[in-house]
Amino acid sequence: MTGRRFLIATLAASAALTAVPAYAQTSEQIGLTQYGEPIFVEGEGLPDTEGSEAYDVTELDREDLIATGSGRIEDALSNIAGFQQFRRSDSRSSNPSAQGATLRALGGNATSRALILLDGVPMSDPFFGYIPFSAIAPERLDSARVTRGGGSGPFGAGALAGTIELTSGDPQSLGAFSGHALINDREETEMTGTLAARLGSGFALVSGRWDRGKGFYTTPGDQRVPATARARYDSWSTQLRGVAPISDTVEAQANVLLFNDNRTLRFDGANSSSEGQDASLRFVGRGDWAFDLLGYVQARNFTNVVISSTRFVPVLDQSNTPSTGLGGKFEIRPPVGDAHTLRLGVDYRKSDGELFETAISAFTGAVTSRRNAGGTNTDLGLFAENDFKLGALTLTAGARADRYTIRDGFYIARAADGALQEETYYDNQSDWRGSFRGGLVYDVSDRLSLRAAAYTGLRLPTLNELYRPFVVFPVTTKANAELTPEKLEGYEAGIDLTAGEGVTLSLTAIDNKVKDAVANVTLDDVTRQRQNIDAIHARGIELSAGIERGIVRFNGSLAYTDAEAQQEGADFDGFRPAQTPKWVAGATLALEPAEGWLLSATVRHVGRQFESDQESDALPAATTIDAYARVPVGDRFAIVLRGENLGDEEIVTRNQGGSVDLGTPRTVWAGIGIGF
């Protein structure tokens, strides 16, 4: 089904929501009544505990997520200094498998070291570990809560560099109907639509988004050849969500996310696709024994065609990479007195997948081999955490035990005629790993708080890192089935200050070390391999500032991180890890001169970084300016204007031996927004 047809079908199916009489009821009329009190569902998980303030936490509201030049969730998150993907390109002009997300300059490869949750469900791909950013539409969200560092704790394994918790919106935040249709100066289009309705005491919503464009040339003009292609993209996604009370204290939440994303990168025929079907069911209890019970299943797939950069014909067809994510979480908070908040729980995740690919001769076009590789990873975590409020002092401490397995790994290669070339079955790995976290917050006054924290965490190598090699000409990166889990040790201390009415400042000093970090290690000029190195050590400062005065709002963020790769005896020992800048900064100034108006401008700076572990092939620093404007026309319509990279800064996203890719050039969008 094409993106246009899918979006039309989504909106048509959801039109029935507007006919539900309950939607016209007032908030006082909506809801079941128990003992004279109305019941209202929240559509969220359990509230954050007071102990979470011991960690470096930033919250983005709905306007922060929407008011970006690109309309992409990754750009909204980039307003928090320290957030980065493996490469500087966004989810329209990169290979999906390179969309790993991390925080605190703990990068080095394309896998996510930050855990991204959408309504409690991990969004990372079960096989690759990348984040399907094109499927996460900012206009569907109510908020994002970003915890830099903080360890695994109750979040689950994978929260190595931090956790990003995304919460979907409801009829109150999204409105009965909302959407927009935009076109840019390259005649690319973006269409969204969301319908939401109150159904008795609950609500239901359906949302669709379709992005399509011919893209821009990622290849510099002096490197283009007749086979050079624009970064074409065509993606759609839809979300179905229903929330209903099942008692006076318990609500059920059901979510379905469907998406499909197709892209072209560098050369004609170099096409990739990713698709997914995610479903989850969640029960949240808000009584004396508060609890959160979540179960989910994910079906994902990825395809990719590699084109020779010398003969411009297919040399590798990664035709099928089916994978499944299966898991859940149960957390309970027993009533232990007003001074304590006790959290007990268990979580589980299973990632299963395999790769099917065909190698092709660049000279004859004949198949040279067919390869199949894959395996299964599992993690079972048990956690306990307690917050203790003692006057102006809040203490928090928690422990976690993870039982992980890396099993059933294999690699099989056959010649074109079916003759066996290689067949390897890898040894299973399994172990228990413990992790801990704790911290304190001391409220010196109503305006000043001091905090400190220490924590550890765990991340399993992905099936991609273990079993799938890949090529970005001229470099081949080999897999490594002997990789072991990464382990985090982190310390931080910070100050949170309210300097005046609507003025907040936050300063955090960090010392984070990832032991046995998985990195793409250079073996020779054209070969790398994923290997566990001794550590990636990052020390630095994170500064945030916010101002809200009348119609003016300002948010700024800066991070300086001195990071180094550590491997005794290696030539890269002491070098900066690949793809990790020292300086990252961003600032947004927004004006809301009247009801419904929003005018904002964002400046971002990313410092110089390197393509590989050898501190070679530099990616120069880049400073970009984005803008957003929403001007109401009547009560329900608005003119929407957006600008990306308005200074037309040259953004180098890849540099391998002088073969360069570029990021988004100056792009201007205009269209109509609607909201009821």
Side-chain angles (χ1 to χ4, degrees), residues 453-496:
Y455 39 82
T456 61
L458 174 76
R459 183 187 77 85
L460 269 64
T462 64
L463 301 175
N464 176 54
E465 293 169 313
L466 291 161
Y467 309 120
R468 172 187 172 261
F470 70 95
V471 178
V472 180
F473 187 85
V475 176
T476 297
T477 301
K478 297 181 177 181
N480 184 353
E482 297 181 0
L483 294 174
T484 58
E486 298 178 330
K487 299 173 288 293
L488 170 74
E489 292 181 357
Y491 309 91
E492 63 185 62
I495 301 173
D496 297 317

Side-chain angles (χ1 to χ4, degrees), residues 191-206:
M191 297 177 61
T192 72
T194 298
L195 285 168
R198 286 285 182 185
L199 304 177
S201 302
F203 66 83
L205 66 84
V206 59

Side-chain angles (χ1 to χ4, degrees), residues 100-187:
T102 191
L103 296 157
R104 290 191 164 169
L106 293 174
N109 63 29
T111 298
S112 294
R113 286 196 170 106
L115 178 63
I116 296 186
L117 304 171
L118 176 60
D119 299 318
V121 177
M123 288 303 294
S124 58
D125 185 85
F127 189 93
F128 292 90
Y130 69 77
I131 307 300
F133 284 113
S134 63
I136 305 173
E139 63 273 5
R140 298 175 189 150
L141 301 177
D142 181 67
S143 64
R145 180 180 174 88
V146 180
T147 304
R148 288 179 280 193
S152 296
F155 297 118
L160 206 72
T163 307
I164 301 173
E165 301 168 87
L166 305 174
T167 301
S168 294
D170 59 17
Q172 181 176 348
S173 60
L174 304 183
F177 177 75
S178 59
H180 63 249
L182 302 177
I183 188 168
N184 70 17
D185 51 353
R186 291 189 296 272
E187 299 181 353

